[in-house]
Tab-separated table of all heavy atoms in Angstrom:
chain	number	residue	atom	x	y	z
Z	985	THR	N	7.272	-15.620	-6.572
Z	985	THR	CA	6.946	-16.019	-7.946
Z	985	THR	C	6.945	-14.801	-8.863
Z	985	THR	O	7.448	-14.876	-9.997
Z	985	THR	CB	5.593	-16.763	-7.981
Z	985	THR	OG1	5.657	-17.866	-7.058
Z	985	THR	CG2	5.298	-17.308	-9.367
Z	986	LEU	N	6.417	-13.667	-8.402
Z	986	LEU	CA	6.466	-12.444	-9.210
Z	986	LEU	C	7.907	-12.021	-9.464
Z	986	LEU	O	8.271	-11.672	-10.592
Z	986	LEU	CB	5.695	-11.305	-8.533
Z	986	LEU	CG	5.754	-9.960	-9.274
Z	986	LEU	CD1	5.141	-10.049	-10.662
Z	986	LEU	CD2	5.079	-8.869	-8.448
Z	987	ARG	N	8.732	-12.062	-8.438
Z	987	ARG	CA	10.142	-11.677	-8.619
Z	987	ARG	C	10.818	-12.578	-9.659
Z	987	ARG	O	11.576	-12.101	-10.495
Z	987	ARG	CB	10.885	-11.740	-7.283
Z	987	ARG	CG	10.531	-10.594	-6.371
Z	987	ARG	CD	11.336	-10.588	-5.079
Z	987	ARG	NE	10.899	-9.492	-4.240
Z	987	ARG	CZ	10.291	-9.632	-3.068
Z	987	ARG	NH1	10.077	-10.834	-2.560
Z	987	ARG	NH2	9.910	-8.581	-2.386
Z	988	PHE	N	10.526	-13.854	-9.624
Z	988	PHE	CA	11.094	-14.807	-10.582
Z	988	PHE	C	10.665	-14.470	-12.008
Z	988	PHE	O	11.445	-14.635	-12.947
Z	988	PHE	CB	10.671	-16.234	-10.213
Z	988	PHE	CG	11.205	-17.277	-11.134
Z	988	PHE	CD1	12.520	-17.716	-11.027
Z	988	PHE	CD2	10.402	-17.830	-12.121
Z	988	PHE	CE1	13.025	-18.684	-11.882
Z	988	PHE	CE2	10.893	-18.796	-12.987
Z	988	PHE	CZ	12.208	-19.222	-12.860
Z	989	HIS	N	9.427	-13.999	-12.170
Z	989	HIS	CA	8.878	-13.708	-13.497
Z	989	HIS	C	8.910	-12.212	-13.831
Z	989	HIS	O	8.269	-11.782	-14.797
Z	989	HIS	CB	7.429	-14.208	-13.584
Z	989	HIS	CG	7.314	-15.694	-13.618
Z	989	HIS	ND1	7.569	-16.441	-14.748
Z	989	HIS	CD2	6.992	-16.584	-12.648
Z	989	HIS	CE1	7.386	-17.719	-14.490
Z	989	HIS	NE2	7.043	-17.840	-13.208
Z	990	SER	N	9.648	-11.418	-13.080
Z	990	SER	CA	9.612	-9.961	-13.260
Z	990	SER	C	10.071	-9.505	-14.644
Z	990	SER	O	9.731	-8.407	-15.067
Z	990	SER	CB	10.425	-9.256	-12.177
Z	990	SER	OG	11.777	-9.618	-12.269
Z	991	HIS	N	10.776	-10.337	-15.361
Z	991	HIS	CA	11.194	-9.985	-16.726
Z	991	HIS	C	10.033	-10.061	-17.714
Z	991	HIS	O	10.132	-9.562	-18.834
Z	991	HIS	CB	12.341	-10.897	-17.183
Z	991	HIS	CG	11.955	-12.337	-17.309
Z	991	HIS	ND1	11.780	-13.158	-16.204
Z	991	HIS	CD2	11.667	-13.090	-18.396
Z	991	HIS	CE1	11.422	-14.364	-16.619
Z	991	HIS	NE2	11.338	-14.348	-17.944
Z	992	GLU	N	8.901	-10.672	-17.295
Z	992	GLU	CA	7.764	-10.843	-18.199
Z	992	GLU	C	6.413	-10.551	-17.553
Z	992	GLU	O	5.369	-10.726	-18.184
Z	992	GLU	CB	7.747	-12.279	-18.741
Z	992	GLU	CG	7.612	-13.335	-17.643
Z	992	GLU	CD	7.730	-14.763	-18.156
Z	992	GLU	OE1	7.521	-14.998	-19.359
Z	992	GLU	OE2	8.047	-15.637	-17.322
Z	993	CYS	N	6.421	-10.097	-16.302
Z	993	CYS	CA	5.164	-9.960	-15.556
Z	993	CYS	C	5.278	-8.819	-14.545
Z	993	CYS	O	6.322	-8.653	-13.922
Z	993	CYS	CB	4.883	-11.286	-14.839
Z	993	CYS	SG	3.348	-11.345	-13.945
Z	994	VAL	N	4.172	-8.048	-14.379
Z	994	VAL	CA	4.180	-6.915	-13.441
Z	994	VAL	C	3.207	-7.082	-12.287
Z	994	VAL	O	3.146	-6.233	-11.400
Z	994	VAL	CB	3.903	-5.579	-14.174
Z	994	VAL	CG1	5.064	-5.224	-15.100
Z	994	VAL	CG2	2.585	-5.639	-14.927
Z	995	GLY	N	2.438	-8.172	-12.298
Z	995	GLY	CA	1.498	-8.405	-11.216
Z	995	GLY	C	0.969	-9.820	-11.248
Z	995	GLY	O	0.977	-10.470	-12.292
Z	996	MET	N	0.532	-10.295	-10.085
Z	996	MET	CA	-0.025	-11.644	-9.981
Z	996	MET	C	-1.077	-11.674	-8.875
Z	996	MET	O	-1.019	-10.892	-7.933
Z	996	MET	CB	1.062	-12.673	-9.646
Z	996	MET	CG	2.131	-12.816	-10.701
Z	996	MET	SD	3.302	-14.137	-10.304
Z	996	MET	CE	2.316	-15.545	-10.827
Z	997	ALA	N	-2.003	-12.617	-9.034
Z	997	ALA	CA	-2.991	-12.901	-7.994
Z	997	ALA	C	-2.781	-14.333	-7.533
Z	997	ALA	O	-2.243	-15.169	-8.275
Z	997	ALA	CB	-4.408	-12.722	-8.537
Z	998	ALA	N	-3.203	-14.642	-6.320
Z	998	ALA	CA	-2.941	-15.959	-5.732
Z	998	ALA	C	-3.515	-17.107	-6.554
Z	998	ALA	O	-2.930	-18.186	-6.592
Z	998	ALA	CB	-3.471	-16.013	-4.296
Z	999	ASN	N	-4.641	-16.881	-7.250
Z	999	ASN	CA	-5.175	-17.992	-8.054
Z	999	ASN	C	-4.256	-18.345	-9.213
Z	999	ASN	O	-4.329	-19.449	-9.749
Z	999	ASN	CB	-6.612	-17.722	-8.518
Z	999	ASN	CG	-6.756	-16.572	-9.474
Z	999	ASN	OD1	-5.830	-15.793	-9.703
Z	999	ASN	ND2	-7.949	-16.437	-10.022
Z	1000	MET	N	-3.350	-17.460	-9.565
Z	1000	MET	CA	-2.375	-17.753	-10.627
Z	1000	MET	C	-1.307	-18.746	-10.161
Z	1000	MET	O	-0.565	-19.287	-10.976
Z	1000	MET	CB	-1.709	-16.462	-11.119
Z	1000	MET	CG	-2.672	-15.527	-11.834
Z	1000	MET	SD	-1.889	-13.960	-12.273
Z	1000	MET	CE	-0.684	-14.496	-13.488
Z	1001	ILE	N	-1.229	-18.965	-8.839
Z	1001	ILE	CA	-0.327	-19.997	-8.319
Z	1001	ILE	C	-1.123	-21.104	-7.636
Z	1001	ILE	O	-0.598	-21.856	-6.823
Z	1001	ILE	CB	0.772	-19.417	-7.383
Z	1001	ILE	CG1	0.165	-18.732	-6.154
Z	1001	ILE	CG2	1.711	-18.494	-8.157
Z	1001	ILE	CD1	1.177	-18.392	-5.056
Z	1002	GLY	N	-2.405	-21.187	-7.974
Z	1002	GLY	CA	-3.229	-22.300	-7.518
Z	1002	GLY	C	-3.876	-22.151	-6.158
Z	1002	GLY	O	-4.360	-23.126	-5.594
Z	1003	VAL	N	-3.918	-20.912	-5.623
Z	1003	VAL	CA	-4.528	-20.680	-4.311
Z	1003	VAL	C	-5.663	-19.666	-4.483
Z	1003	VAL	O	-5.423	-18.511	-4.837
Z	1003	VAL	CB	-3.504	-20.148	-3.289
Z	1003	VAL	CG1	-4.162	-19.933	-1.935
Z	1003	VAL	CG2	-2.324	-21.101	-3.169
Z	1004	ALA	N	-6.882	-20.083	-4.248
Z	1004	ALA	CA	-8.058	-19.229	-4.467
Z	1004	ALA	C	-8.318	-18.316	-3.265
Z	1004	ALA	O	-9.329	-18.412	-2.573
Z	1004	ALA	CB	-9.277	-20.082	-4.779
Z	1005	LYS	N	-7.382	-17.422	-3.014
Z	1005	LYS	CA	-7.487	-16.445	-1.927
Z	1005	LYS	C	-7.306	-15.049	-2.516
Z	1005	LYS	O	-6.613	-14.864	-3.513
Z	1005	LYS	CB	-6.406	-16.676	-0.862
Z	1005	LYS	CG	-6.586	-17.955	-0.079
Z	1005	LYS	CD	-7.767	-17.854	0.856
Z	1005	LYS	CE	-7.830	-19.056	1.782
Z	1005	LYS	NZ	-8.639	-18.778	2.958
Z	1006	ARG	N	-7.914	-14.055	-1.869
Z	1006	ARG	CA	-7.846	-12.673	-2.351
Z	1006	ARG	C	-6.512	-12.044	-1.930
Z	1006	ARG	O	-6.449	-11.286	-0.955
Z	1006	ARG	CB	-9.029	-11.868	-1.826
Z	1006	ARG	CG	-10.376	-12.383	-2.337
Z	1006	ARG	CD	-11.506	-11.469	-1.949
Z	1006	ARG	NE	-11.362	-10.151	-2.556
Z	1006	ARG	CZ	-11.722	-9.854	-3.803
Z	1006	ARG	NH1	-12.248	-10.766	-4.581
Z	1006	ARG	NH2	-11.541	-8.633	-4.274
Z	1007	ILE	N	-5.476	-12.362	-2.687
Z	1007	ILE	CA	-4.130	-11.840	-2.435
Z	1007	ILE	C	-3.551	-11.433	-3.780
Z	1007	ILE	O	-3.621	-12.207	-4.742
Z	1007	ILE	CB	-3.214	-12.898	-1.789
Z	1007	ILE	CG1	-3.853	-13.492	-0.538
Z	1007	ILE	CG2	-1.847	-12.298	-1.471
Z	1007	ILE	CD1	-3.130	-14.739	-0.015
Z	1008	ILE	N	-2.987	-10.226	-3.859
Z	1008	ILE	CA	-2.328	-9.795	-5.084
Z	1008	ILE	C	-0.951	-9.224	-4.763
Z	1008	ILE	O	-0.696	-8.764	-3.641
Z	1008	ILE	CB	-3.154	-8.758	-5.875
Z	1008	ILE	CG1	-3.234	-7.405	-5.155
Z	1008	ILE	CG2	-4.543	-9.307	-6.197
Z	1008	ILE	CD1	-3.808	-6.269	-5.998
Z	1009	VAL	N	-0.084	-9.256	-5.751
Z	1009	VAL	CA	1.210	-8.583	-5.697
Z	1009	VAL	C	1.380	-7.838	-7.013
Z	1009	VAL	O	0.835	-8.239	-8.037
Z	1009	VAL	CB	2.379	-9.566	-5.461
Z	1009	VAL	CG1	2.290	-10.203	-4.092
Z	1009	VAL	CG2	2.450	-10.629	-6.536
Z	1010	PHE	N	2.142	-6.741	-6.976
Z	1010	PHE	CA	2.309	-5.944	-8.187
Z	1010	PHE	C	3.551	-5.075	-8.081
Z	1010	PHE	O	4.057	-4.812	-6.990
Z	1010	PHE	CB	1.060	-5.081	-8.440
Z	1010	PHE	CG	0.741	-4.133	-7.323
Z	1010	PHE	CD1	1.149	-2.811	-7.364
Z	1010	PHE	CD2	0.022	-4.568	-6.216
Z	1010	PHE	CE1	0.850	-1.939	-6.331
Z	1010	PHE	CE2	-0.287	-3.704	-5.182
Z	1010	PHE	CZ	0.135	-2.387	-5.235
Z	1011	ASP	N	4.024	-4.647	-9.240
Z	1011	ASP	CA	5.157	-3.742	-9.329
Z	1011	ASP	C	4.624	-2.314	-9.234
Z	1011	ASP	O	3.812	-1.893	-10.050
Z	1011	ASP	CB	5.877	-3.961	-10.661
Z	1011	ASP	CG	7.115	-3.108	-10.801
Z	1011	ASP	OD1	7.052	-1.897	-10.525
Z	1011	ASP	OD2	8.153	-3.647	-11.217
Z	1012	ASP	N	5.079	-1.586	-8.232
Z	1012	ASP	CA	4.692	-0.189	-8.038
Z	1012	ASP	C	5.942	0.666	-8.215
Z	1012	ASP	O	6.683	0.905	-7.265
Z	1012	ASP	CB	4.085	-0.006	-6.643
Z	1012	ASP	CG	3.560	1.395	-6.402
Z	1012	ASP	OD1	3.508	2.197	-7.360
Z	1012	ASP	OD2	3.188	1.694	-5.248
Z	1013	ALA	N	6.210	1.036	-9.467
Z	1013	ALA	CA	7.381	1.859	-9.810
Z	1013	ALA	C	8.684	1.240	-9.297
Z	1013	ALA	O	9.519	1.914	-8.715
Z	1013	ALA	CB	7.203	3.282	-9.301
Z	1014	GLY	N	8.834	-0.071	-9.496
Z	1014	GLY	CA	10.058	-0.756	-9.131
Z	1014	GLY	C	10.048	-1.438	-7.780
Z	1014	GLY	O	10.988	-2.152	-7.443
Z	1015	THR	N	8.999	-1.233	-6.997
Z	1015	THR	CA	8.860	-1.889	-5.694
Z	1015	THR	C	7.733	-2.897	-5.770
Z	1015	THR	O	6.632	-2.562	-6.223
Z	1015	THR	CB	8.540	-0.851	-4.594
Z	1015	THR	OG1	9.596	0.088	-4.528
Z	1015	THR	CG2	8.368	-1.523	-3.242
Z	1016	HIS	N	7.997	-4.126	-5.342
Z	1016	HIS	CA	6.944	-5.143	-5.330
Z	1016	HIS	C	6.108	-4.976	-4.075
Z	1016	HIS	O	6.634	-4.960	-2.968
Z	1016	HIS	CB	7.552	-6.550	-5.408
Z	1016	HIS	CG	8.151	-6.834	-6.735
Z	1016	HIS	ND1	9.360	-7.432	-6.896
Z	1016	HIS	CD2	7.702	-6.584	-7.987
Z	1016	HIS	CE1	9.638	-7.558	-8.183
Z	1016	HIS	NE2	8.640	-7.036	-8.860
Z	1017	ARG	N	4.788	-4.833	-4.290
Z	1017	ARG	CA	3.856	-4.615	-3.185
Z	1017	ARG	C	2.907	-5.794	-3.062
Z	1017	ARG	O	2.622	-6.482	-4.032
Z	1017	ARG	CB	3.030	-3.348	-3.436
Z	1017	ARG	CG	3.844	-2.097	-3.681
Z	1017	ARG	CD	3.821	-1.074	-2.598
Z	1017	ARG	NE	2.665	-0.968	-1.766
Z	1017	ARG	CZ	1.783	0.031	-1.805
Z	1017	ARG	NH1	1.908	1.009	-2.676
Z	1017	ARG	NH2	0.769	0.053	-0.951
C-alpha cells in the first residue's frame, strides 16, 4: 500500500489500512522499511 501511494506518502501504520497492530513502514532514503 505504501508503494502504491509513494507519490504522495512516505510512511504508514497498520491502522491506516484497518488493522490495529503495531506495524509501520516508511521510506528510508529511497528504501521502504
Side-chain angles (χ1 to χ4, degrees):
T985 305
L986 177 62
R987 286 184 182 114
F988 180 79
H989 289 283
S990 63
H991 65 285
E992 60 186 339
C993 183
V994 292
M996 297 185 79
N999 65 350
M1000 293 175 66
I1001 61 168
V1003 181
K1005 292 289 188 160
R1006 296 187 63 82
I1007 307 168
I1008 69 169
V1009 294
F1010 59 97
D1011 183 313
D1012 184 9
T1015 300
H1016 290 136
R1017 305 251 331 252

